[in-house]
Amino acid sequence: MIVRNEAKFLGDCLRSLQSIADEVIVVDTGSTDETPAIAAAHGAVVRHFQWCDDFAAARNAALDAASGEWILYIDADEQLQPVERTAVEALLRRTDALAFRLLLRPSPRATPYREYRLWRNDPRIRFDGVIHEKVVPAIHAVADSDGRGILPCDLELVHFGYEGDQTRKHLRNLPLLRRQLEVDPDNLFVWHHLSRVLEGLGDASEAERVLERGLQVARAKPWRDPLAVLLYADLVRMREHDGDHGYGEALLAEGLELYGDNCVLLWLHSRALIRRGAYEEALVPLDRILAFDPAQLPDLGPSYDEQLIHEFSHDARGLCLFRLGRYTEATQEYAAAAQWAPENPAYGAKLAIARARGGRAVDASLTVAVGARHGN
């Protein structure tokens, strides 16, 4: 791993590796906190690297220092989830494998997706790129050359580092992202990250312009790049925030035409319909979200916030049913949302109101029925 001022996370990361890794290489790129001391206290081999605005160079320095047969690439704000060492040893004894795609949760509440994080220590496998550095092309080239496979496995990493103030990282990444786009202008993930950095630094207008330029790149491609969905979703969200609902909904329709199964776009579509009072129509995208099988997502991708595909969608469905006067069904949806967030007091209140309305509706129907029998 490469690190800089990661004292907040590093100890937990290294403890998660304690019984699994025979050797831990920590390349420090200029920490001013206790990061190097924490690494040394946990038995890591600490190397120092003069930061040169190049993530690939730093990561390759770490690879050059590693002597093990296999490489696990991990960041300081990630943790390996508990696993038996014997299971890892059995996995790595597979002679037909060059690399494994393990499970990564980009946040503790996100669904996992597969990433290339575990491969044989081979000098032909090195990173490339000043930011969002890539190792996958090198892994595939060596796999093809050696006739070995790239296989899925059940090892899981969880990322914890998106919490708190990100200003320092945004300021570091901003010039690197611009440099990367100069050499890789078709990389939609970099366009998206640049917009997030600009938004995080308070320049929402420039962030929107970056998303627009990224979409121009996506539209010009002769093939459908799955990463373009990130640009559609963020630009729709920002235009909604600006109150530009007309443009936002037109853009959303374009995105749904291309990526109609994406849960974030379906969620934004349901919100647009609810905003217009089209509650019956809003149930359709919400039902599609709730029909997703999260167990299939790691291989199909992308990663979603678990709240969106469970709690939030049940809550929104409850609202639609409530507004439609279907109070019993609304109660069931609010109860389902509460199961995912039992600490949220709002669901108790919503349940009580829906039950009360449902009770009054039953009483009213009984009154009508009794009146009809008496000829009133």
Side-chain angles (χ1 to χ4, degrees):
M1 69 181 74
I2 62 173
V3 297
R4 183 177 184 180
N5 292 335
E6 295 288 1
K8 176 180 177 181
F9 296 105
L10 184 57
D12 289 335
C13 173
L14 294 175
R15 279 187 287 274
S16 77
L17 303 170
Q18 208 157 33
S19 63
I20 302 300
D22 295 324
E23 173 188 65
V24 178
I25 306 295
V26 174
V27 170
D28 188 87
T29 63
S31 292
T32 57
D33 64 5
E34 297 301 309
T35 294
I38 293 170
H42 284 83
V45 176
V46 181
R47 296 283 185 266
H48 296 276
F49 180 85
Q50 183 66 43
W51 179 244
C52 58
D53 290 334
D54 189 326
F55 277 92
R59 292 208 187 275
N60 290 336
L63 290 177
D64 291 342
S67 63
E69 183 182 351
W70 286 85
I71 297 291
L72 173 69
Y73 146 45
I74 185 171
D75 285 334
D77 54 3
E78 297 171 343
Q79 295 173 30
L80 179 67
Q81 296 307 282
V83 60
E84 293 292 331
R85 183 183 173 94
T86 53
V88 179
E89 290 174 343
L91 183 73
L92 301 185
R93 279 198 294 269
R94 293 196 56 163
T95 58
D96 60 333
L98 176 86
F100 292 95
R101 296 169 63 228
L102 50 70
L103 298 169
L104 173 67
R105 292 184 186 268
S107 71
R109 293 188 311 194
T111 61
Y113 64 96
R114 294 204 178 275
E115 271 221 347
Y116 295 72
R117 291 298 195 95
L118 184 61
W119 61 82
R120 292 181 184 274
N121 191 355
D122 188 308
R124 295 172 293 176
I125 300 177
R126 291 296 183 266
F127 287 90
D128 179 63
V130 296
I131 191 169
H132 294 305
E133 57 282 10
K134 299 176 183 177
V135 73
V136 175
I139 290 174
H140 276 276
V142 175
D144 292 343
S145 175
D146 293 1
R148 280 179 158 151
I150 301 167
L151 309 176
C153 75
D154 293 332
L155 297 180
E156 182 175 324
L157 299 177
V158 179
H159 182 262
F160 293 89
Y162 289 141
E163 305 297 326
D165 187 3
Q166 301 292 305
T167 301
R168 179 181 63 84
K169 288 186 177 181
H170 289 335
L171 292 172
R172 177 200 66 192
N173 290 339
L174 182 60
L176 300 183
L177 290 164
R178 294 192 187 280
R179 277 178 54 196
Q180 188 64 30
L181 283 174
E182 290 176 3
V183 298
D184 191 11
D186 290 338
N187 191 321
L188 301 186
F189 191 82
V190 178
W191 282 106
H192 178 256
H193 190 183
L194 177 58
S195 74
R196 284 287 178 98
V197 165
L198 290 164
E199 186 179 13
L201 292 173
D203 194 347
S205 296
E206 181 60 19
E208 289 188 36
R209 285 192 286 270
V210 164
L211 289 171
E212 292 278 15
R213 290 200 293 272
L215 279 178
Q216 290 174 5
V217 172
R219 291 169 180 139
K221 290 190 175 189
W223 53 284
R224 185 183 303 175
D225 191 328
L227 292 173
V229 73
L230 300 172
L231 307 175
Y232 281 105
D234 265 15
L235 191 53
V236 169
R237 172 183 59 81
M238 295 181 79
R239 288 303 171 96
E240 278 190 358
H241 183 267
D242 294 342
D244 190 357
H245 298 307
Y247 178 82
E249 291 187 20
L251 190 66
L252 178 58
E254 179 185 335
L256 285 167
E257 183 70 26
L258 298 169
Y259 309 98
D261 290 332
N262 182 270
C263 286
V264 175
L265 293 183
L266 289 169
W267 170 251
L268 292 170
H269 185 37
S270 73
R271 281 177 39 173
L273 291 168
I274 290 170
R275 188 168 56 245
R276 295 206 302 266
Y279 303 115
E280 192 74 50
E281 293 91 332
L283 292 172
V284 176
L286 291 170
D287 287 345
R288 290 181 64 188
I289 294 172
L290 291 168
F292 267 87
D293 179 5
Q296 296 181 358
L297 286 173
D299 292 307
L300 296 176
S303 175
Y304 293 116
D305 185 332
E306 288 183 331
Q307 285 183 290
L308 185 149
I309 62 173
H310 296 301
E311 176 196 347
F312 292 167
S313 292
H314 281 299
D315 182 30
R317 200 170 189 278
L319 170 64
C320 293
L321 292 166
F322 185 92
R323 295 288 174 82
L324 291 168
R326 294 157 62 178
Y327 301 116
T328 300
E329 293 172 83
T331 299
Q332 294 169 350
E333 293 300 327
Y334 289 139
Q339 287 184 334
W340 290 97
E343 74 289 348
N344 187 340
Y347 294 126
K350 292 178 181 182
L351 275 166
I353 294 170
R355 284 171 179 156
R357 289 287 184 90
R360 284 206 292 272
V362 170
D363 290 343
S365 66
L366 287 173
T367 300
V368 170
V370 169
R373 285 200 300 272
H374 289 278
N376 294 332

